[in-house]
Each structure stands twice: as C-alpha cells, then as structure tokens.
Amino acid sequence: MDVKTGLGKGFAYVQFSSVEAAEKALAAKDGQTFQGRLLHILPATAKRENKLDDFALSKLPLKKQQQIKKKREADSTSFNWNALYMNADAVVSSVAERLGISKSEVLDPTSSDAAIKQAHAETHVIQETKTYFRQQGVDLDTFKKSQRGETAILVKNIPHECSRDELQRLFEEHGDVKRFLMPPSGVIAVVEMGNAAQCKAAFGALAYRKIKSSVLFLEKAPKDLFSAKPVVAEGVTNDGISKTSAADLKTSDADAIVPNTAGTATLFVRNLNFSTTTPQLIETFKPLAGFLSARVKTRTDPKKPGQILSMGFGFLEFATSVQAQAALQVMDGYSLEGHKLQIRASHKGADAAEDRRKADAAKRQAGKKTKVIIKNLPFETTKKDVRALFGAYGQLRSIRVPKKMDRGARGFAFADFVTPKEAENAIEALKDTHLLGRRLVLDFAEGDPEDAEAEIEKMQRKVGNQVNKVALQKLVGGGRKRFTTAQEEGA
C-alpha cells in the first residue's frame, strides 16, 4: 500500500504452506487475466528486515527480549485488556491537578481507604471520558464488538506529563492525522490516521514505545467507531470533583422528603434553581410563622461519584394547615435566585420507610433487581471498603462479603440498593473500575444470594452428618440389626 494515498501499489505477496502448492499456483495463474489486468507471477524472496535473529536476541537481557517480541507482534496480536484501561498514576495526577492539591492529599498512602479513593478517582475519569467521546460522535457500543477497523488506534497508558500536542506529533510523523481525540484527563486517546497504510506504520513504530515515565499501549480501534451522532451532555455544571463524602450524600438523601403529619401542613415547592441548597431554602422561609423545616430534594450524580444534584423541587413543613396556607398565599411566585417559586399544598408527604415500601412494590412490579454481585474482588477487601465504594451511587440496604471457613474472603460480594435505578447507576459507573489492580466484574445477582448460601450450608451440614453416621456405623459393626423378642417368637 502507498503510505500517502492509501492505495495499492499494483503488486502483492502470497505465502503458501508448502513449496509444491506455491509451484502449482505459479503455473496455473501466471499470465491469467484478473479484473482486466494480466497477472505476472514470480517467485519471491524473504522480506529483508534489519531485525535481530533469534541468536542475537537471546544475548539481550530478558526484559529487553520481551519488549522486542511484544513490539514485533503488536500489529497482529488480539488484545484482551480493558478498552478503557488507564494509567493509575496519570488518573490520580489528573484529579489532583484539577483540584489544585498534591497527589499525596488525593491518595494518602497511610490511609486505610487509599484504594477506595483511587477507585473513585478512576471511576470519575472513566465517566468523564465516556461523556467526552459521546460528544465527539464515538459509538461506545462498538467497544463490545471484536471486529477491528483499519484506520483508528486506541492509545492507552499515557503518562500524565505527556501533553496532547506532544502525543499528536508522534503520530503525525507517520502520516496524516485525520482525527485526534483526547479527553480533559489526558489518560487515553483515539487517533484516526489518513488511511490504513499510515495507521499500520504508526502502530508498528509506536506500540510499546517508552514515553517519559510510561510505555504506550496501542490497540486497533473497533470498526465503525465514529458512527454515532455527537451528544450534548446535560446537567453538567463543571468538570471538577465534588468533595462531598458518601456519608454526607446518604444523610442528605435519606430524609429528603418531609413527612406530612397534619393535612396540608406540608407544602410542595417547584421551579427551584438547581444551585439552590437546603440552607438557602430554610433561610428564605424561616421568618414565616409556624415554619418547621425545609428540604431540597436531591439525587446522586451517576457520572460523578460522591456528588449530588438538585432535582429542582423540595418540601416545606409548617406547624398547622392554616400557617401552611398563609405561607402558600404569600410566597407563591416569590423569586429565589432568579426562579419564581411555584408552591402547592402537598398531600403526598411520606417518610423514608414509606418510600422504601413503594420502591419495593415498584421493583416487584417491574421485575427489576436491586442486588448487585461484585466479582473479581481483591481478597483483602473488607465490607467497609465495599460500602465506601458503592455507597457513593445510592442508598444501600446491605453489604455482604462472604467468607471461607478460614475467615478469608471468597473474592466476591453483594451490594443491595434501595432502588433498581441506583443499582443500575452503580453497575454503569463502576464496570470499568479497578480496585487494587483488579477490574471489577459487576452484574445483577440472580435470585436471593443469602437464601442460596443458606441452602448450600444446609446441604454441607447434611452431608457432614451423613458422613458421621457412616463412620459411626462402621465402628459399631455394620449398623442396626433386627432382633425378635420372646413374645414375638411365641406368637
């Protein structure tokens, strides 16, 4: 192929498994017409390359041998790693830079939850990367397919200190760069070359190439990668990371609905500015007679772990129905942060237990599941770690990390959320995340794992009892024997 035009040069090579087969093909096809052209076939010689032979290669250090072999086989190897694999150090460096703090503050090596913080940082960067690629017209569903294209390359394991321009220039040395996509985090990139020949040349030259403190991992991008329409992200106010902890999130969301205890004592307020917080709402209605409490309804942000978003409405509670009606008359249409409030009497106040019962009923009706099974979990992971990691995506009913007889972890766990939506958000956000070097494998749990394990333990106890009975029978000489009494003999 011509590197500049991407078109064929008018000749090709065909390799056969035996000399006899090659000679037959030469005799049969030489001088034949193919697509309007007369074929001329000649015996070929081996490709001349300035490569080390096996003897010279064996003289090099083992690490160097492996590096050379990987580079030789890069273009023809089918990769099996995560499509969104990211350099862990680059992830933490990117997060620290945007927060304006040092890496040691983001990831304290002396902290017991350092691995969880790193997992949260990686999850945030992955979600940000997915959003960026969707905005650029990348079809993320193609990553699930095995068929690869010929012109685009996934560039992974990029060190944080490697700039966008520096990386792009490396590929421009091998042809025309048609498209260069690199998210704000700078830990992964997609490069589309002008044609297949340029893509092959760039791939062969840059695969496993050492760049600053890292080594580039290249992979042929999936076919039809750019087949999707650009998507504009909604509800994104900034690209920073919220410092709100998972504990704060669960506290604010758990009692988000104010109970209606006496008729219309609870008011429903709509059209809130999304930047309006609960303290601001309280401050606005506090001077009114009979005011008891206020709450802005919030939800977890599935794209940014640990961050909450306002839902644009809230609840107000007054001591009596008369005071609530008076507040409605006075404050309906009041302007708060540029938004005119719409206040109505609420007859649907409910406590958290009622919300949970409604969620359970909806789950049973829709056949959806709230329990997530977490596989490929590091054996040193504790229940506290799992709760800290998954608690950022919604309220949890329970966390269970099954143990073996020796109290060691079995390598999997269960996280049960309050609603199916929270379970879906957790799976979507964490399905590409690594914890202590292991990529988490997430799915909805089939049936009730607790009942299943109880049944297994019951079966194990039953088998154990049977074994003990057999051993006892052997000791007493073959088990029970029938005998007759004197009355039975007389009868």
Side-chain angles (χ1 to χ4, degrees):
M1 306 294 289
D2 185 89
V3 176
K4 292 184 178 180
T5 64
L7 301 176
K9 292 185 176 181
F11 62 93
Y13 296 93
V14 181
Q15 185 175 15
F16 289 86
S17 58
S18 66
V19 176
E20 292 77 12
E23 290 177 347
K24 288 181 181 180
L26 190 153
K29 297 297 181 181
D30 188 30
Q32 297 290 319
T33 302
F34 179 70
Q35 294 185 351
R37 296 178 70 90
L38 192 67
L39 295 182
H40 183 37
I41 303 177
L42 298 170
T45 57
K47 186 178 180 180
R48 292 190 294 271
E49 296 178 322
N50 295 324
K51 290 184 178 180
L52 297 174
D53 55 26
D54 292 339
F55 178 76
L57 188 63
S58 64
K59 297 296 184 182
L60 298 176
L62 181 59
K63 188 174 181 179
K64 187 67 174 178
Q65 292 182 39
Q66 294 174 342
Q67 183 179 357
I68 293 175
K69 288 180 180 179
K70 283 183 178 180
K71 194 172 182 65
R72 285 181 181 179
E73 300 169 357
D75 193 30
S76 58
T77 302
S78 296
F79 296 100
N80 203 20
W81 57 46
N82 181 10
L84 292 177
Y85 172 82
M86 298 177 179
N87 183 302
D89 180 70
V91 168
V92 177
S93 298
S94 175
V95 171
E97 182 178 339
R98 275 179 287 175
L99 290 177
I101 58 179
S102 64
K103 286 197 295 183
S104 61
E105 293 178 81
V106 176
L107 190 63
D108 183 1
T110 63
S111 175
S112 60
D113 61 348
I116 303 301
K117 290 181 180 179
Q118 182 171 342
H120 276 309
E122 182 184 14
T123 303
H124 169 79
V125 172
I126 288 174
Q127 297 307 311
E128 181 184 70
T129 299
K130 288 181 178 179
T131 300
Y132 172 82
F133 281 153
R134 288 192 186 101
Q135 292 172 347
Q136 303 300 322
V138 173
D139 185 0
L140 296 179
D141 290 335
T142 58
F143 286 112
K144 303 174 185 178
K145 302 175 183 178
S146 58
Q147 191 173 10
R148 298 290 164 174
E150 296 294 332
T151 59
I153 300 173
L154 292 178
V155 188
K156 295 177 281 191
N157 206 39
I158 304 172
H160 179 66
E161 60 270 24
C162 180
S163 67
R164 173 191 176 94
D165 293 338
E166 186 176 3
L167 186 63
Q168 185 171 348
R169 284 196 297 270
L170 290 177
F171 283 87
E172 288 175 344
E173 293 175 0
H174 305 281
D176 300 325
V177 175
K178 187 177 178 181
R179 194 173 337 199
F180 188 90
L181 305 180
M182 192 172 187
S185 59
V187 296
I188 192 171
V190 175
V191 183
E192 185 180 16
M193 303 298 292
N195 55 58
Q198 294 176 355
C199 180
K200 184 176 181 180
F203 196 105
L206 299 177
Y208 296 104
R209 178 167 173 175
K210 184 172 177 59
I211 301 295
K212 297 185 182 296
S213 62
S214 185
V215 175
L216 292 183
F217 294 164
L218 303 189
E219 181 178 354
K220 288 288 183 68
K223 191 177 181 181
D224 302 324
L225 183 67
F226 303 104
S227 58
K229 293 182 179 179
V231 177
V232 179
E234 297 181 358
V236 179
T237 57
N238 55 70
D239 61 353
I241 297 178
S242 172
K243 297 181 182 179
T244 305
S245 66
D248 294 336
L249 171 64
K250 289 185 286 185
T251 301
S252 63
D253 202 43
D255 39 72
I257 296 181
V258 180
N260 182 10
T261 56
T264 56
T266 300
L267 298 179
F268 177 60
V269 54
R270 298 170 54 189
N271 199 37
L272 289 173
N273 192 315
F274 288 108
S275 63
T276 301
T277 62
T278 294
Q280 289 174 313
L281 192 64
I282 293 174
E283 193 65 27
T284 302
F285 286 85
K286 190 175 181 180
L288 300 180
F291 174 77
L292 296 178
S293 64
R295 174 71 65 182
V296 175
K297 187 69 175 70
T298 60
R299 64 181 177 87
T300 58
D301 187 349
K303 298 180 180 178
K304 296 183 179 180
Q307 185 168 337
I308 59 175
L309 298 175
S310 168
M311 298 181 70
F313 65 88
F315 294 87
L316 310 168
E317 187 180 10
F318 289 83
T320 67
S321 300
V322 175
Q323 292 168 329
Q325 289 294 331
L328 188 154
Q329 297 294 328
V330 173
M331 299 300 291
D332 188 28
Y334 178 81
S335 181
L336 178 62
E337 291 194 306
H339 283 224
K340 289 187 177 182
L341 303 183
Q342 299 176 10
I343 304 177
R344 299 292 182 270
S346 173
H347 301 281
K348 297 182 180 180
D351 57 16
E354 182 63 22
D355 283 345
R356 181 169 295 183
R357 285 193 292 271
K358 289 181 179 179
D360 288 344
K363 178 187 70 172
R364 288 191 296 270
Q365 183 178 1
K368 292 185 178 179
K369 301 172 183 177
T370 60
K371 189 165 291 185
V372 177
I373 181 170
I374 309 148
K375 301 177 184 178
N376 201 35
L377 198 66
F379 293 111
E380 56 268 43
T381 306
T382 64
K383 182 184 290 189
K384 179 182 176 183
D385 295 334
V386 178
R387 185 177 296 278
L389 181 59
F390 284 81
Y393 301 94
Q395 290 179 269
L396 289 164
R397 290 180 187 272
S398 64
I399 289 291
R400 201 160 55 88
V401 182
K403 303 287 186 180
K404 294 185 289 188
M405 296 297 292
D406 61 357
R407 306 303 299 166
R410 294 185 179 181
F412 65 94
F414 299 98
D416 192 9
F417 288 87
V418 172
T419 65
K421 184 61 178 176
E422 290 172 326
E424 291 176 7
N425 290 342
I427 290 178
E428 178 62 27
L430 293 169
K431 64 182 180 181
D432 293 308
T433 298
H434 292 75
L435 181 61
L436 293 174
R438 288 194 173 205
R439 184 189 177 191
L440 299 180
V441 179
L442 307 178
D443 199 357
F444 287 107
E446 293 294 335
D448 190 347
E450 294 185 11
D451 293 345
E453 286 209 349
E455 186 65 24
I456 291 173
E457 291 177 359
K458 182 179 178 181
M459 292 171 63
Q460 289 176 337
R461 287 196 299 269
K462 185 177 179 180
V463 171
N465 292 336
Q466 290 176 346
V467 172
N468 292 336
K469 287 181 180 179
V470 172
L472 181 61
Q473 289 172 1
K474 290 181 178 179
L475 289 174
V476 299
R480 295 180 295 178
K481 295 181 179 179
R482 179 176 175 81
F483 66 95
T484 58
T485 63
Q487 292 179 349
E488 290 176 336
E489 289 178 352

